[in-house]
Amino acid sequence: MSGVQPEKLRGRRDKAACALLLATSILALLRPAPLHAQETELRGEVSESAILSDQQRKAGSLVLARQTAANADARDNAPARTYLPASADAVPDDTDAANSTTSVFDPPQASDDTSADTPTPPKPRRTSTARQNAADKAKDRATDKSKKKKSTTAAKDPTTTATTATTHDTDSIAADQDAANRRALPIDSADRQKLDAGAERITAIEGRNKKPEDDPFAATGVRWGSFVIRPTIEQGLTATTNGDSSSAGTSALLSETALRFTAASDWRENSATIDGYGIFRETVSGYRVHDAQGRIEGQLNVDLDKEMRAIAKLGYEAVPESASSPDAIAGVSTQPLRQSIDGSIGVEKAVGKMQYTLTGAVSHDFYGDAKLSDGTSLSQKDQDNTLYTATLRTGYEISPALTPFTEIEVGRRAYDQRIDNEGFERSSTRLGARAGLQLDMGEKLSGEFSAGWLREAVDDKSLEAISGATVNADVKWSPQRGTMIGLTGKTTVETTTTSGESGDILYSGRLTGERVIRSNLTANAALGLDWRDYVGIDGHDRILSAEAGLTWWLNRYAGLTTRVRTEKLTSNLPGRDYTANSIYLGVKVQR
């Protein structure tokens, strides 16, 4: 071996070493991988959320280590601090321990001063061993709870942990964490969008503006049981040229009070309504006037089945005899009070397009005594009477909007006093027939009108029967929203106890209009025509009237109202003509 050159020996050793390294490398490659490595390779791609959680865990571990070391140095010298939970759900188990130390997971206190990151240590104060042990236990419990909620806290505020670091290394970790958050933003924003979509829908429904009211100054009403009552009161002064609308009337200033109310039920199937009014007039100065009048009536609708309905009505009225009435008594201080009680019940039945209605009605009128100027009274009981009627209507529905009909009426008027004070038998028998058209076009046009003939034969043969054409109408037309035009017509048989006279037929017609100029300003107008045709004598009366008014609502419950009116009666009978002009100004209150 001594003869071998050193260079050759080194070359052989180098070759042997290379061979050994090569064999070792081959064996290392042929050796199977550990189980944990295989499991790691079979997991597939790592999600961004996993990367984010890993980075947050590393950042938290690094910051935890740094803060633990810093807290260990300053623990003995740190003052007692109030426990601040790591999240909204964290609650200290030991109040004393929580008040004596601060958890390492406490969030940093917000401050505008950048020097707050490195607080100046306070004066040293050493705590007792028992208190320190309690503080360590509280710290461990807070650390366990923080670990359980770590993922939730990081998702809500992923930059909270990174902002607690005060070195360049933690700043780098925060930058990497922000980058990871930006990559994960599409996933979070998609989830938030799904949640926010429902919130936006809820906000849109709840925040939607309410539909404005059709009449913001209409009465709201007062609930009483199952009824809603809407009362109204007017108080004002009337200046008139004719205090009682008579041929002998003179000018006067009157105090006028009007009470009105409506009540409607809110039942599920059937319905009921009650209407009433009362008007009181008293002289303030001028011609003496003292009267009161009023009426109340109710209606009940009951559905018996799908094709049958019952309608019941009941009313009471008290009105003094008008000074312009044919039965007015001259030379009295107070005209007699006429009271009426009326009721009816009807049944409606539909058979295909045919409609049948049978109605029975009763009306009783009774009169009070008239007070004469000399203080005595004059009885009017011979005018008390009761009218019984039965009406059969038959209609055919051409369309839901048009239904022509015919009516037949029979009745009997019976006087309480069979022979009046003048010796006449005033009871009579009634017979009438009418044909008309019923309209139902919703709010645009509705109502009905009819024409026919009516005859009421008096039992006393010396008295002529009351007969003549009849016209009745009740139509409402709305050409546009806020405007309502009405047409009413009525034919009334007026009886009398005047010697040798049977009575008269009164035709009354009214054309009314109402316009909402503004939501709180309403205008109304009316034109009237009355024609009275006397039976047994050649006489007639014609009454023309016109009225215009305004109502200005100060708020929903109070307003100012005014109206002007003119009325003129012209007759071919002596002592009946008169003219009355008046103006009214008052306050209207409703509920």
Side-chain angles (χ1 to χ4, degrees):
M1 295 295 293
S2 59
V4 181
Q5 297 179 357
E7 293 78 3
K8 292 181 179 181
L9 290 175
R10 284 193 298 273
R12 290 176 182 177
R13 286 195 297 271
D14 294 339
K15 290 179 180 180
C18 291
L20 182 59
L21 291 174
L22 180 61
T24 303
S25 300
I26 293 173
L27 291 175
L29 292 174
L30 294 177
R31 183 179 179 180
L35 180 58
H36 65 85
Q38 293 179 4
E39 293 176 355
T40 303
E41 293 175 358
L42 292 176
R43 289 183 180 180
E45 298 180 356
V46 179
S47 63
E48 292 181 353
S49 60
I51 297 174
L52 174 62
S53 300
D54 184 68
Q55 291 179 350
Q56 292 174 351
R57 186 164 52 254
K58 291 179 180 180
S61 299
L62 179 58
V63 174
L64 178 61
R66 294 180 180 274
Q67 289 186 353
T68 302
N71 291 338
D73 295 337
R75 183 178 300 159
D76 295 336
N77 297 328
R81 296 176 57 190
T82 303
Y83 174 77
L84 296 176
S87 63
D89 297 330
V91 178
D93 296 331
D94 190 345
T95 305
D96 295 335
N99 293 333
S100 62
T101 185
T102 304
S103 173
V104 295
F105 292 98
D106 290 342
Q109 301 297 321
S111 176
D112 296 335
D113 189 1
T114 56
S115 63
D117 294 339
T118 308
T120 302
K123 295 181 180 180
R125 185 179 64 180
R126 189 173 186 84
T127 58
S128 64
T129 304
R131 188 174 182 180
Q132 184 63 43
N133 293 337
D136 293 340
K137 292 180 181 180
K139 185 195 304 180
D140 295 340
R141 284 193 293 270
T143 303
D144 294 339
K145 292 181 180 180
S146 299
K147 289 181 179 181
K148 293 179 181 179
K149 301 179 180 293
K150 186 173 182 180
S151 59
T152 304
T153 304
K156 291 182 179 178
D157 191 0
T159 62
T160 301
T161 306
T163 56
T164 58
T166 58
T167 62
H168 297 289
D169 294 339
T170 56
D171 293 339
S172 300
I173 294 174
D176 295 340
Q177 187 172 349
D178 291 337
N181 291 341
R182 285 193 295 271
R183 287 194 299 271
L185 183 60
I187 299 175
D188 295 339
S189 62
D191 295 337
R192 291 194 185 109
Q193 185 176 4
K194 292 179 181 179
L195 295 175
D196 294 344
E200 291 176 358
R201 287 194 296 270
I202 295 174
T203 302
I205 294 174
E206 294 179 351
R208 187 178 301 168
N209 293 331
K210 294 183 179 180
K211 182 181 178 180
E213 298 182 68
D214 294 336
D215 188 357
F217 291 90
T220 57
V222 179
R223 179 167 292 278
W224 183 52
S226 60
F227 284 82
V228 177
I229 304 176
R230 293 177 172 85
T232 302
I233 181 172
E234 287 186 28
Q235 177 61 56
L237 295 175
T238 300
T240 178
T241 60
N242 194 329
D244 60 354
S245 298
S246 67
S247 58
T250 58
S251 61
L253 178 63
L254 307 177
S255 171
E256 185 171 327
T257 304
L259 302 174
R260 296 180 177 86
F261 78 93
T262 62
S265 67
D266 59 354
W267 304 338
R268 177 175 300 179
E269 296 179 355
N270 306 318
S271 63
T273 58
I274 302 175
D275 300 316
Y277 78 89
I279 299 176
F280 308 89
R281 300 197 309 163
E282 188 69 34
T283 298
V284 176
S285 63
Y287 189 80
R288 185 176 181 275
V289 175
H290 174 75
D291 61 36
Q293 62 179 346
R295 178 174 176 81
I296 182 172
E297 61 181 358
Q299 178 173 326
L300 174 64
N301 302 325
V302 179
D303 292 331
L304 303 178
D305 59 24
K306 294 182 179 179
E307 303 295 336
M308 183 178 293
R309 185 176 65 159
I311 302 175
K313 298 180 181 180
L314 182 63
Y316 169 78
E317 182 179 45
V319 178
E321 191 72 75
S322 173
S324 61
S325 171
D327 286 334
I329 303 174
V332 298
S333 60
T334 303
Q335 293 290 339
L337 180 66
R338 179 177 60 85
Q339 301 180 68
S340 300
I341 298 177
D342 55 84
S344 66
I345 183 169
V347 178
E348 296 180 353
K349 174 68 175 178
V351 180
K353 291 188 176 182
M354 297 297 297
Q355 298 180 359
Y356 302 95
T357 303
L358 179 62
T359 304
V362 178
S363 176
H364 178 67
D365 296 338
F366 52 100
Y367 293 76
D369 296 339
K371 295 183 179 180
L372 303 179
S373 301
D374 57 3
T376 62
S377 61
L378 179 62
S379 175
Q380 299 293 310
K381 289 187 178 299
D382 60 342
Q383 297 192 61
D384 297 352
N385 66 88
T386 303
L387 177 64
Y388 307 89
T389 61
T391 305
L392 175 63
R393 171 185 286 199
T394 303
Y396 181 79
E397 184 180 303
I398 298 177
S399 69
L402 300 176
T403 304
F405 64 88
T406 60
E407 282 186 353
I408 297 177
E409 179 184 357
V410 295
R412 175 71 179 173
R413 187 187 300 273
Y415 276 80
D416 295 353
Q417 188 175 328
R418 190 175 68 86
I419 299 177
D420 66 6
N421 297 334
E422 302 294 334
F424 294 93
E425 295 184 21
R426 295 288 178 176
S427 298
S428 59
T429 301
R430 170 179 288 204
L431 180 63
R434 290 176 290 273
L437 181 64
Q438 182 177 349
L439 306 172
D440 187 4
M441 300 181 184
E443 298 180 356
K444 197 69 176 178
L445 181 63
S446 63
E448 66 179 45
F449 60 89
S450 63
W453 188 266
L454 179 65
R455 185 176 189 273
E456 192 165 321
V458 184
D459 290 350
D460 197 311
K461 302 302 181 181
S462 62
L463 298 177
E464 184 180 349
I466 304 173
S467 62
T470 61
V471 178
N472 296 278
D474 186 5
V475 180
K476 295 185 182 298
W477 173 45
S478 178
Q480 63 181 13
R481 182 175 293 275
T483 301
M484 181 62 69
I485 297 176
L487 175 64
T488 59
K490 187 177 181 181
T491 302
T492 306
V493 174
E494 295 181 332
T495 60
T496 183
T497 56
T498 303
S499 178
E501 297 183 11
S502 301
D504 61 78
I505 296 180
L506 176 63
Y507 301 93
S508 301
R510 295 288 184 275
L511 178 64
T512 61
E514 182 176 291
R515 172 64 180 171
V516 179
I517 302 175
R518 297 176 55 185
S519 59
N520 64 338
L521 182 62
T522 303
N524 58 78
L527 295 175
L529 171 62
D530 293 349
W531 179 268
R532 179 179 287 114
D533 189 12
Y534 292 92
V535 177
I537 60 174
D538 183 17
H540 59 265
D541 295 340
R542 182 185 63 189
I543 305 174
L544 298 175
S545 62
E547 181 179 317
L550 286 173
T551 300
W552 176 37
W553 292 103
L554 304 176
N555 52 48
R556 190 159 201 162
Y557 305 103
L560 302 177
T561 181
T562 182
R563 58 179 175 267
V564 293
R565 177 179 173 83
T566 181
E567 183 175 292
K568 182 178 180 62
L569 185 148
T570 304
S571 177
N572 62 350
L573 299 178
R576 292 192 53 77
D577 294 358
Y578 73 85
T579 301
N581 301 316
S582 62
I583 182 171
Y584 171 85
L585 178 63
V587 178
K588 187 175 183 179
V589 179
Q590 67 180 7
R591 181 68 174 88

